[in-house]
Amino acid sequence: MIRWKGKAVCRGIVCGPAAVLKRDERVKRQKTADPAAEISRLESALEEAKGQLEKLYKRAAAEVGEDSAAIFEVHRMMLEDEDYLDAARNLIAGESINAEYAVSVTGDNFSEMFAGMEDEYMKARAADVRDVSVRLVRCLRGEEEPDFSSLPPSVVFADDLTPSETVRLDKSRILAFVTVHGSVNSHTAILARTMSIPAVVGVPVDFEKLKNGSPVVVDAFSGEVIADPDGETLAAAEKRMAEERENAELLQSLKGKENITKDGHRVELFANVGSVSDVGYALENDAGGIGLFRSEFLYLGRNDYPGEEEQYQAYRQVLQIMAGKKVVIRTLDIGADKQAAYFGLEKEENPAMGFRAIRLCLTRPKIFKTQLRALLRAARYGNLSVMYPMITSGEEIKRIYALVAEAEAELKSEGIPYKIPEQGIMIETPAAAVISDLLAGSVDFFSVGTNDLTQYMLAIDRQNEKLDEFYDPHHEAVLRTIRLVVENAHRAGKWVGICGELGADASLTETFLRIGVDELSVSPSMILRLRKKISEIRLDG
Ligand code: PEP
Ligand code: MG
């Protein structure tokens, strides 16, 4: 039995087999005395990788059709590209270095080259080159890629997971996530909470000792992860699981009830989601609406931009499923930890303060307008509100409205039906909060993004796991700021919500109600818990 301790980021307790998804993929540079032997290792790994891709192509073609399977054929062809292979071979021979390092550097170089191209199709190939290189490095290391489609539901172990890797996983096969790295407020942790998958980060897993398939217990209350548990530990975990099931059943009795305090104050409880399929969790948990649909997840885990039609269908589906309930769709908030290689974004010194969200959309209006057109078209099918992220000024809002007007004019002239939805902004930069009195007049609502607001107010990178102990969303500066934003919104007659993770913090629910927050948008699994909490509060006492 081995015990490790980490930070629980999504509550729950499970037992199941381990599946090691990804070890540390950093590749070390090592000198070799025999470059020719390294080159022949590279040639064998190439054959192995091509064989894997052929198998993947055949299986995908049979299961999802040839069009969707074509990507594996493209990857296989990349492994036959002489420029790519010569670059790797020359590095090995010229610098007497190991094949893994040569492949990794060549992959990075080629990927950057594609990312810098004008043509959108070529730009999108950057991600493929990187994927192919990772596969080749894995073959060189003799590591096997776990085949999730043939595994039983498992506890996924990884060194780290990016949001784009997380969205690619088949959720029905994941019992829990355990990662060595990762911060409590990263988007991967947020995704786990959205999908109610127990998760523990910062676990010092010894991958040498953890075997695929061996039994593990993940206690995502205490943050404990136990591999090869003894009978007693297993029995205790099973008892806790049964208790949890009972608690969850008790909460079910709150379905269909109002979110109302003992003395009659009501508040909206909405859900945060990242995909169309997450909307099911919102309904299961009786959400009054969707308060944050993170549309950027539509752009992650793929090799090219989602087009207008694809986006329109997705948004329309969400609106139709929610059948008249409010749905707040946030426009593309890509950048920082949410990366898709086909955007071809350059590496930045300070990505959190860099080229992300609305800054990217205003500088690349073609991408933004595709999304706006899809949203305007979908707005006819339900109660849509569109929300813009990372706003710092009224000037940005003016530029957004100009693009909305362009999208509208285009749709009108093309005879395509549309509707202009309610439009609001996220308050997640200190600048927007401080001038929220000035901004309130030009928008329909505010939603406070406490994850970023805390990061920028306290000058603490939310991605940096070493700073988790200093990342304090209860800081008086954050709470005063929320109060200010609510006052300014209400003075202008606008509604205001909280869609950052703090909205789900039951120890602050009473404070938020006293401040006058109109809506809390939280991960679906928190809705009934908060409804219960609200029903225990009395504000006039
Ligand atoms: C926030 O910053 O609080 C927020 C809701 O947005 P995200 O977590 O996606 O940055
Ligand atoms: Mg944010």
Side-chain angles (χ1 to χ4, degrees), residues 198-220:
V200 188
V201 301
V203 184
V205 181
D206 180 348
F207 286 108
E208 298 295 317
K209 296 206 175 122
L210 183 72
K211 298 275 166 301
N212 265 323
S214 57
V216 286
V217 170
V218 179
D219 181 345

Side-chain angles (χ1 to χ4, degrees), residues 185-187 190 272 292 294 296-297 330 333 337-338 356 387 389-390 426-429 447-456 462 471 498-502 521:
N185 292 290
S186 66
H187 282 96
I190 290 173
N272 291 349
L292 170 61
R294 289 182 162 95
E296 57 276 10
F297 288 123
R330 174 174 75 184
D333 183 3
D337 63 325
K338 288 174 285 194
R356 59 172 289 201
M387 174 159 78
M390 285 292 291
M426 293 202 59
I427 301 286
E428 52 184 346
T429 65
S447 186
V448 185
T450 51
N451 309 335
D452 278 316
L453 188 63
T454 307
Q455 150 163 276
Y456 299 123
R462 67 192 262 197
Y471 183 96
I498 296 179
C499 63
E501 296 297 292
L502 198 63
S521 191

Side-chain angles (χ1 to χ4, degrees), residues 8-224:
V9 296
C10 179
R11 297 139 53 101
I13 176 159
V14 295
C15 307
V20 179
L21 177 67
K22 206 179 74 166
R23 294 181 166 82
D24 186 350
E25 267 168 8
R26 275 165 298 186
V27 179
K28 288 200 187 77
R29 180 190 170 100
Q30 280 165 349
K31 278 277 175 197
T32 173
D34 189 355
E38 285 301 294
I39 290 176
S40 90
R41 279 183 63 230
L42 173 62
E43 306 303 338
S44 320
L46 269 172
E47 289 316 307
E48 163 83 30
K50 282 197 268 185
Q52 287 179 359
L53 287 163
E54 256 161 49
K55 271 195 213 144
L56 283 169
Y57 173 81
K58 280 195 193 131
R59 205 176 67 211
E63 284 174 10
V64 290
E66 285 186 7
D67 282 354
S68 307
I71 188 65
F72 297 118
E73 185 58 9
V74 172
H75 282 198
R76 198 188 56 77
M77 278 154 56
M78 280 179 175
L79 288 178
E80 287 173 354
D81 182 275
E82 279 307 317
D83 290 337
Y84 174 86
L85 295 177
D86 281 348
R89 288 185 195 114
N90 291 341
L91 262 176
I92 298 175
E95 301 198 19
S96 300
I97 53 166
N98 53 328
E100 287 87 342
Y101 190 75
V103 166
S104 177
V105 169
T106 307
D108 285 350
N109 290 346
F110 274 66
S111 170
E112 267 171 38
M113 184 180 79
F114 278 112
M117 289 183 180
E118 282 295 308
D119 184 278
E120 291 297 334
Y121 176 82
M122 297 310 277
K123 247 191 212 312
R125 302 286 69 80
D128 296 314
V129 182
R130 223 179 273 278
D131 271 6
V132 159
S133 306
V134 167
R135 178 178 297 283
L136 202 48
V137 168
R138 253 200 214 129
C139 291
L140 279 162
R141 287 172 162 177
E143 281 175 9
E144 283 191 20
E145 191 179 24
D147 178 1
F148 273 89
S149 61
S150 62
L151 283 181
S154 305
V155 174
V156 170
F157 281 80
D159 186 61
D160 202 358
L161 279 175
T162 64
S164 69
E165 286 162 338
T166 313
V167 295
R168 279 190 213 212
L169 298 172
D170 174 357
K171 317 298 174 293
S172 64
R173 294 178 181 276
I174 301 171
L175 295 175
F177 288 114
V178 177
T179 62
V180 177
H181 298 288
S183 72
V184 175
N185 292 290
S186 66
H187 282 96
T188 303
I190 290 173
L191 269 174
R193 289 195 279 272
T194 304
M195 300 176 303
S196 294
I197 296 180
V200 188
V201 301
V203 184
V205 181
D206 180 348
F207 286 108
E208 298 295 317
K209 296 206 175 122
L210 183 72
K211 298 275 166 301
N212 265 323
S214 57
V216 286
V217 170
V218 179
D219 181 345
F221 290 100
S222 67
E224 223 178 351

Side-chain angles (χ1 to χ4, degrees), residues 464-481:
N464 188 337
E465 64 212 54
K466 292 192 201 82
L467 297 175
D468 275 352
E469 65 167 305
F470 298 103
Y471 183 96
D472 175 17
H474 286 223
H475 196 293
E476 187 57 26
V478 176
L479 299 179
R480 280 192 200 177
T481 305

